[in-house]
Short mmCIF file of all heavy atoms in Angstrom, two decimals:
data_model
loop_
_atom_site.label_atom_id
_atom_site.label_comp_id
_atom_site.label_asym_id
_atom_site.label_seq_id
_atom_site.Cartn_x
_atom_site.Cartn_y
_atom_site.Cartn_z
N ASN A 37 111.60 126.32 -71.32
CA ASN A 37 111.19 125.00 -70.69
C ASN A 37 109.63 124.96 -70.45
O ASN A 37 109.04 125.83 -69.90
CB ASN A 37 111.86 124.92 -69.28
CG ASN A 37 111.83 123.50 -68.75
OD1 ASN A 37 111.00 122.68 -69.18
ND2 ASN A 37 112.56 123.23 -67.72
N TYR A 120 130.00 127.30 -59.76
CA TYR A 120 129.53 126.65 -58.55
C TYR A 120 128.67 125.44 -58.90
O TYR A 120 127.94 125.35 -59.88
CB TYR A 120 128.70 127.60 -57.60
CG TYR A 120 127.38 128.06 -58.05
CD1 TYR A 120 126.20 127.40 -57.82
CD2 TYR A 120 127.23 129.32 -58.73
CE1 TYR A 120 124.96 127.84 -58.17
CE2 TYR A 120 126.00 129.79 -59.13
CZ TYR A 120 124.77 129.05 -58.83
OH TYR A 120 123.63 129.53 -59.25
N HIS A 122 126.15 122.04 -57.80
CA HIS A 122 125.01 121.81 -56.99
C HIS A 122 125.20 120.59 -56.12
O HIS A 122 125.53 119.47 -56.51
CB HIS A 122 123.80 121.40 -57.92
CG HIS A 122 123.21 122.52 -58.59
ND1 HIS A 122 121.95 122.49 -59.14
CD2 HIS A 122 123.60 123.76 -58.89
CE1 HIS A 122 121.65 123.63 -59.77
NE2 HIS A 122 122.63 124.43 -59.57
N ARG A 147 126.25 125.19 -54.28
CA ARG A 147 124.90 125.47 -53.89
C ARG A 147 124.30 124.36 -53.11
O ARG A 147 124.41 123.18 -53.53
CB ARG A 147 124.08 125.70 -55.20
CG ARG A 147 122.69 126.21 -54.87
CD ARG A 147 121.87 126.31 -56.22
NE ARG A 147 121.07 125.05 -56.37
CZ ARG A 147 119.89 124.97 -57.25
NH1 ARG A 147 119.59 126.05 -57.92
NH2 ARG A 147 119.33 123.85 -57.30
N TYR A 159 112.05 121.60 -54.17
CA TYR A 159 112.83 122.09 -55.30
C TYR A 159 114.25 121.85 -55.14
O TYR A 159 114.83 122.12 -54.10
CB TYR A 159 112.57 123.65 -55.48
CG TYR A 159 113.63 124.15 -56.35
CD1 TYR A 159 113.58 124.13 -57.74
CD2 TYR A 159 114.80 124.71 -55.80
CE1 TYR A 159 114.54 124.57 -58.54
CE2 TYR A 159 115.82 125.16 -56.64
CZ TYR A 159 115.68 125.10 -58.01
OH TYR A 159 116.71 125.52 -58.85
N TYR A 168 112.33 117.51 -60.53
CA TYR A 168 113.04 118.74 -60.58
C TYR A 168 113.42 119.08 -61.98
O TYR A 168 114.34 118.72 -62.56
CB TYR A 168 114.34 118.56 -59.66
CG TYR A 168 115.31 119.66 -59.86
CD1 TYR A 168 114.99 121.00 -59.63
CD2 TYR A 168 116.66 119.30 -60.23
CE1 TYR A 168 115.90 122.00 -59.73
CE2 TYR A 168 117.57 120.41 -60.22
CZ TYR A 168 117.23 121.64 -59.95
OH TYR A 168 118.10 122.63 -60.20
N PHE A 169 112.49 119.88 -62.58
CA PHE A 169 112.59 120.33 -64.07
C PHE A 169 113.17 119.32 -64.93
O PHE A 169 113.83 119.56 -65.96
CB PHE A 169 113.31 121.61 -64.22
CG PHE A 169 114.75 121.69 -63.75
CD1 PHE A 169 115.77 121.33 -64.62
CD2 PHE A 169 115.08 122.27 -62.56
CE1 PHE A 169 117.05 121.41 -64.24
CE2 PHE A 169 116.37 122.34 -62.13
CZ PHE A 169 117.36 121.93 -62.95
N ASP A 212 119.35 128.53 -53.47
CA ASP A 212 118.26 129.07 -54.25
C ASP A 212 116.91 128.86 -53.55
O ASP A 212 116.46 127.73 -53.33
CB ASP A 212 118.24 128.26 -55.56
CG ASP A 212 117.42 128.89 -56.61
OD1 ASP A 212 116.56 129.78 -56.27
OD2 ASP A 212 117.46 128.42 -57.76
N HIS A 214 114.19 129.91 -54.62
CA HIS A 214 113.26 129.68 -55.82
C HIS A 214 111.91 130.38 -55.59
O HIS A 214 110.81 129.74 -55.74
CB HIS A 214 113.13 128.17 -56.01
CG HIS A 214 113.01 127.77 -57.43
ND1 HIS A 214 111.86 127.65 -58.21
CD2 HIS A 214 114.04 127.67 -58.44
CE1 HIS A 214 112.10 127.40 -59.42
NE2 HIS A 214 113.38 127.39 -59.64
N GLU A 238 119.69 133.19 -53.69
CA GLU A 238 119.05 133.41 -55.02
C GLU A 238 117.54 133.40 -54.97
O GLU A 238 117.00 132.55 -54.21
CB GLU A 238 119.52 132.32 -55.93
CG GLU A 238 118.94 132.23 -57.32
CD GLU A 238 119.42 130.99 -58.10
OE1 GLU A 238 120.49 130.46 -57.68
OE2 GLU A 238 118.72 130.70 -58.98
N ASP A 239 116.94 134.29 -55.78
CA ASP A 239 115.49 134.30 -55.94
C ASP A 239 114.80 134.19 -54.55
O ASP A 239 113.83 133.40 -54.38
CB ASP A 239 114.99 133.24 -56.80
CG ASP A 239 115.30 133.45 -58.34
OD1 ASP A 239 115.68 134.65 -58.59
OD2 ASP A 239 115.19 132.59 -59.15
N GLU A 264 117.03 134.95 -63.36
CA GLU A 264 117.04 133.93 -64.42
C GLU A 264 115.73 133.85 -65.26
O GLU A 264 115.75 133.37 -66.42
CB GLU A 264 117.22 132.52 -63.82
CG GLU A 264 116.13 132.11 -62.95
CD GLU A 264 116.41 130.76 -62.15
OE1 GLU A 264 117.49 130.63 -61.57
OE2 GLU A 264 115.62 129.86 -62.22
N ARG A 285 121.37 137.45 -62.60
CA ARG A 285 121.46 135.98 -63.08
C ARG A 285 120.78 135.75 -64.44
O ARG A 285 120.21 134.67 -64.72
CB ARG A 285 120.79 135.08 -62.00
CG ARG A 285 121.64 135.03 -60.79
CD ARG A 285 121.29 133.97 -59.87
NE ARG A 285 120.59 132.81 -60.38
CZ ARG A 285 121.27 131.74 -60.90
NH1 ARG A 285 122.61 131.79 -60.87
NH2 ARG A 285 120.69 130.79 -61.41
N HIS A 314 122.43 132.16 -65.26
CA HIS A 314 121.75 130.98 -64.98
C HIS A 314 122.41 129.84 -65.70
O HIS A 314 122.91 129.97 -66.77
CB HIS A 314 120.30 131.14 -65.54
CG HIS A 314 119.42 130.08 -65.07
ND1 HIS A 314 118.22 129.78 -65.79
CD2 HIS A 314 119.34 129.22 -64.05
CE1 HIS A 314 117.54 128.81 -65.17
NE2 HIS A 314 118.28 128.44 -64.11
N GLY A 315 122.53 128.67 -65.07
CA GLY A 315 123.25 127.53 -65.63
C GLY A 315 122.59 126.22 -65.45
O GLY A 315 123.16 125.20 -65.30
N ALA A 316 121.20 126.29 -65.49
CA ALA A 316 120.41 124.99 -65.21
C ALA A 316 120.46 124.11 -66.54
O ALA A 316 120.82 124.60 -67.66
CB ALA A 316 118.94 125.34 -64.97
N PRO A 317 120.12 122.84 -66.39
CA PRO A 317 120.30 121.98 -67.56
C PRO A 317 119.18 122.11 -68.56
O PRO A 317 119.26 121.42 -69.64
CB PRO A 317 120.17 120.53 -66.92
CG PRO A 317 119.54 120.75 -65.58
CD PRO A 317 119.82 122.11 -65.14
N ASP A 318 118.24 123.10 -68.42
CA ASP A 318 117.32 123.28 -69.48
C ASP A 318 117.78 124.45 -70.35
O ASP A 318 117.03 124.92 -71.29
CB ASP A 318 115.93 123.55 -68.97
CG ASP A 318 115.84 124.63 -67.87
OD1 ASP A 318 116.95 125.00 -67.34
OD2 ASP A 318 114.76 125.02 -67.51
N GLU A 341 126.83 129.27 -62.62
CA GLU A 341 126.18 128.03 -62.10
C GLU A 341 126.56 126.90 -63.11
O GLU A 341 126.55 127.04 -64.32
CB GLU A 341 124.66 128.27 -62.12
CG GLU A 341 123.87 127.06 -61.61
CD GLU A 341 122.35 127.46 -61.60
OE1 GLU A 341 121.87 128.20 -62.36
OE2 GLU A 341 121.68 126.71 -60.77
N LEU A 392 107.17 121.96 -66.41
CA LEU A 392 107.69 122.17 -65.02
C LEU A 392 106.57 121.90 -64.10
O LEU A 392 105.40 122.04 -64.45
CB LEU A 392 108.13 123.64 -64.92
CG LEU A 392 109.38 123.98 -65.68
CD1 LEU A 392 109.53 125.51 -65.74
CD2 LEU A 392 110.61 123.44 -64.87
N TRP A 405 106.19 128.36 -58.01
CA TRP A 405 107.06 127.20 -58.02
C TRP A 405 108.46 127.53 -58.14
O TRP A 405 109.05 128.50 -58.46
CB TRP A 405 106.76 126.35 -59.32
CG TRP A 405 107.65 125.18 -59.28
CD1 TRP A 405 107.60 124.05 -58.45
CD2 TRP A 405 108.95 124.97 -60.07
NE1 TRP A 405 108.54 123.12 -58.67
CE2 TRP A 405 109.40 123.71 -59.62
CE3 TRP A 405 109.50 125.62 -61.02
CZ2 TRP A 405 110.64 123.22 -60.15
CZ3 TRP A 405 110.75 125.19 -61.59
CH2 TRP A 405 111.26 123.94 -61.19
O1 EZ4 B 1 114.12 125.95 -61.83
O2 EZ4 B 1 115.78 126.15 -64.99
O3 EZ4 B 1 118.97 128.09 -60.54
N1 EZ4 B 1 118.34 127.35 -61.22
C1 EZ4 B 1 116.99 127.21 -61.22
C2 EZ4 B 1 116.47 126.24 -62.29
C3 EZ4 B 1 115.07 126.52 -62.82
C4 EZ4 B 1 114.82 125.80 -64.07
C5 EZ4 B 1 113.38 126.23 -64.62
O4 EZ4 B 1 113.32 125.82 -65.89
O5 EZ4 B 1 116.24 127.92 -60.60
O6 EZ4 B 1 116.59 124.99 -61.74
#
Side-chain angles (χ1 to χ4, degrees):
N37 195 344
Y120 69 89
H122 282 199
R147 185 187 97 160
Y159 164 79
Y168 170 53
F169 64 82
D212 191 347
H214 220 264
E238 174 183 338
D239 286 349
E264 67 185 48
R285 288 189 34 81
H314 191 202
D318 51 351
E341 182 178 28
L392 286 164
W405 182 73

